Amino acid sequence: MLAPGPRTTVQDTGRPGWAGIGVTRSGAADRPSAALANRLVGNPGSAAVLEVTAGGLRVRAGRALLVALTGAPAPTDVDGRAAPWNAPLPLPAGAVLTLGTPSAGLRSYLAVRGGIDVPEVLGSRSTDTLSGLGPAPLRAGDRLPVGPPGADQPVVDVAPVAPPGRPVVLRVLPGPRRDWLAPEAWAALTTAEWTVAPASDRVGLRLAGPALVRAREGELASEGLVPGALQVPPDGAPVLFLVDHPVTGGYPVLAVVVTDDLPAAGQVRPGDVLRFRA
Amino acid sequence: MPDHGAVSEVGGVERVVAYGDRAVLLEADPVAVPGLRAALAAAPLPGQRDLVPAARTLLVVLDRPPTDRDLAVLRRLRPAATSAAGAAGHLEVPVVFDGPDLGDVAAGTGRSVEDLVAALTSTRLTVAFGGFAPGFGYLTGLPPELHVARRPTPRTRVPAGSVGLAGAYAGIYPRESPGGWQLVGRTDLVLFDVDRDPPALLVPGTTVALRAVG
């Protein structure tokens, strides 16, 4: 690891099944992109990859490796030569791979044939940025172990991938506590434009737009959360939870983003404009 | 199902609420939540991925959209027996009662420090649910006269092992973190260790007794 950019973490499909002891699932924020990167290098879907946030990655291959890049597309070169995306990419030993800043989207994925072989914590290699489980975010100078290649050979030469749409539109279902908000809140949520605030991360997107007004006072007892839950704190500015969400929360959930649209939610950047469609 | 006579109305699922396209939220009496969780842990729905018990709800997370059949099963769900020392076990927690809020809590509940410690160590607590941090358990069972408000201003740094009270709950901080609970003591017990099996000592259903030491 020569440079991790603003933030690079190790991610896989996360650690489901531990919510009862306060551990959230975590895992890659854009699951299909991480899965595609693994498939391109012949890895099983459970292999760990690098999740690169806002580009800026520079890594050197310790030996000859087969890698693939997916997710937010960024200008990329290997020792000064432009390198393809969404395709298997052989790196000779000592080659330096450099990612610029993504032209669209936020999170890029780098899979290595054999997988990133850091130790598992509770059955997963993912960094949970909320609780600190899993490997620490990567720093310059870190050396990443690569596992042995599996039996499967890479079979895809290039995978066609549609560029992310603009503006991002996320489909929502009514949440379990829609009745805690004023009747206008649902209409406001699904018609207004929402700007993603800077304090957004893998835990959640903080959104700026019209204030969503409560219909009832009082405190809701904390209850379970899912990725895609849109919670409304007392100030009326909603938080859309992503993969490192807390397992429970005490503010009403007005809406829940459909599972198929969560990868797109994982690709929006601070400053982007979002819409929600009922 | 054949009718075997009167079924207790206590502890069933009060309401089944849709929660996105992969989860269902069950509302129930707080007393029934641990038993409902135990019932689904013992006989999971197909594709059941996680259970998130909380104060008055149980969130059932699936790896597929819930069906009408799931909803029917969940509406009929009955709590499984969670005996006093059920499968989750019992834990004795050695506590040094010297917390910074011990005096305030004693005064606020109208008793001496000695009486407060006696009341806390004679109470059988149960882990109702987790959620604040890995390994944290919300402990229920405090008598109403020991329910105290959170501190008006949370502390920015509460040491690992701190034993605190807030509302109807007692809790032990598994690691250093900010926190607003009233701190009455501390324990050396390591509540959460990913290299241990099981990693958390306080899983839902565990019964807990605080024991005064040192």
Side-chain angles (χ1 to χ4, degrees):
Chain A
M1 176 64 60
L2 303 176
R7 170 156 279 192
T8 295
T9 58
V10 177
Q11 297 295 340
D12 56 17
T13 51
R15 41 183 79 82
W18 297 99
I21 58 168
V23 173
T24 203
R25 181 163 178 198
S26 191
D30 176 352
R31 295 271 212 274
S33 292
L36 174 62
N38 272 326
R39 204 161 72 237
L40 288 167
V41 297
N43 281 347
S46 57
V49 301
L50 294 185
E51 181 178 276
V52 184
T53 312
L57 178 78
R58 268 176 70 224
V59 284
R60 183 192 293 126
R63 56 180 165 85
L65 296 171
L66 183 68
V67 305
L69 286 158
T70 61
T76 302
D77 72 71
V78 175
D79 291 335
R81 251 190 236 172
W85 272 61
N86 303 313
L89 171 63
L91 293 183
V96 173
L97 173 91
T98 305
L99 255 66
T101 303
S103 51
L106 181 63
R107 295 184 170 96
S108 311
Y109 293 88
L110 174 67
V112 183
R113 181 158 167 80
I116 306 292
D117 195 19
V118 296
E120 290 188 351
V121 174
L122 302 181
S124 164
R125 298 181 170 90
S126 291
T127 298
D128 172 355
T129 58
L130 184 70
S131 73
L133 293 181
L138 296 172
R139 288 174 308 185
D142 286 346
R143 293 177 65 88
L144 287 166
V146 174
D152 289 350
Q153 292 297 319
V155 290
V156 185
D157 288 334
V158 66
V161 173
R166 279 294 174 83
V168 175
V169 180
L170 304 175
R171 289 165 293 169
V172 286
L173 297 166
R177 303 300 169 200
R178 183 177 164 181
D179 59 339
W180 278 62
L181 286 120
E184 313 84 79
W186 178 260
L189 178 73
T190 51
T191 53
E193 292 200 323
W194 296 89
T195 304
V196 179
S200 298
D201 53 21
R202 284 176 47 87
V203 174
L205 303 177
R206 281 158 213 288
L207 303 176
L212 300 174
V213 180
R214 283 266 194 111
R216 51 198 276 189
E217 295 304 312
E219 269 190 62
L220 181 69
S222 287
E223 56 193 27
L225 290 171
V226 296
L230 187 124
Q231 198 188 51
V232 185
D235 66 5
V239 177
L240 172 59
F241 283 115
L242 299 181
V243 278
D244 286 352
H245 65 87
V247 297
T248 58
Y251 300 125
V253 170
L254 168 65
V256 185
V257 172
V258 303
T259 301
D260 285 351
D261 288 356
L262 290 176
Q267 289 292 1
V268 300
R269 323 194 231 200
D272 278 357
V273 170
L274 274 185
R275 282 181 170 280
F276 295 100
R277 199 177 77 211
Chain B
M1 186 184 279
D3 186 354
H4 291 298
V7 175
S8 165
E9 282 306 305
V10 178
V13 173
E14 289 167 1
R15 206 156 76 100
V16 173
V17 187
Y19 198 138
D21 58 8
R22 293 291 187 276
V24 179
L25 188 70
L26 309 182
E27 294 182 354
D29 188 279
V31 178
V33 172
L36 294 171
R37 191 203 65 83
L40 279 174
L45 296 177
Q48 181 175 302
R49 180 172 271 165
D50 216 338
L51 296 171
V52 193
R56 298 165 188 285
T57 55
L58 174 66
L59 181 66
V60 183
V61 183
L62 307 175
D63 65 3
R64 56 176 177 82
T67 61
D68 288 348
R69 196 186 126 70
D70 296 325
L71 301 184
V73 168
L74 292 172
R75 266 191 207 101
R76 285 199 309 267
L77 188 68
R78 304 300 305 170
T82 51
S83 58
H90 178 73
L91 187 68
E92 295 268 327
V93 180
V95 178
V96 180
F97 283 94
D98 64 353
D101 302 321
L102 185 66
D104 286 352
V105 172
T109 59
R111 61 196 70 213
S112 68
V113 165
E114 208 168 59
D115 288 349
L116 173 64
V117 170
L120 288 172
T121 51
S122 61
T123 300
R124 169 65 66 101
L125 301 166
T126 303
V127 179
F129 52 94
F132 163 70
F136 186 85
Y138 287 83
L139 303 170
T140 53
L142 289 173
E145 59 271 22
L146 293 184
H147 295 185
V148 295
R150 282 162 201 259
R151 289 170 52 81
T153 308
R155 291 187 170 88
T156 54
R157 189 187 153 275
V158 173
S162 295
V163 178
L165 306 179
Y169 303 109
I172 308 170
Y173 286 77
R175 57 174 184 175
E176 184 184 311
S177 60
W181 291 38
Q182 306 268 8
L183 305 182
V184 295
R186 60 193 156 89
T187 180
D188 288 337
L189 216 55
V190 176
L191 294 174
F192 186 73
D193 179 353
V194 293
D195 295 324
R196 187 173 60 194
D197 187 20
L201 295 181
L202 301 178
V203 300
T206 306
T207 57
V208 174
L210 306 179
R211 185 162 50 82
V213 295

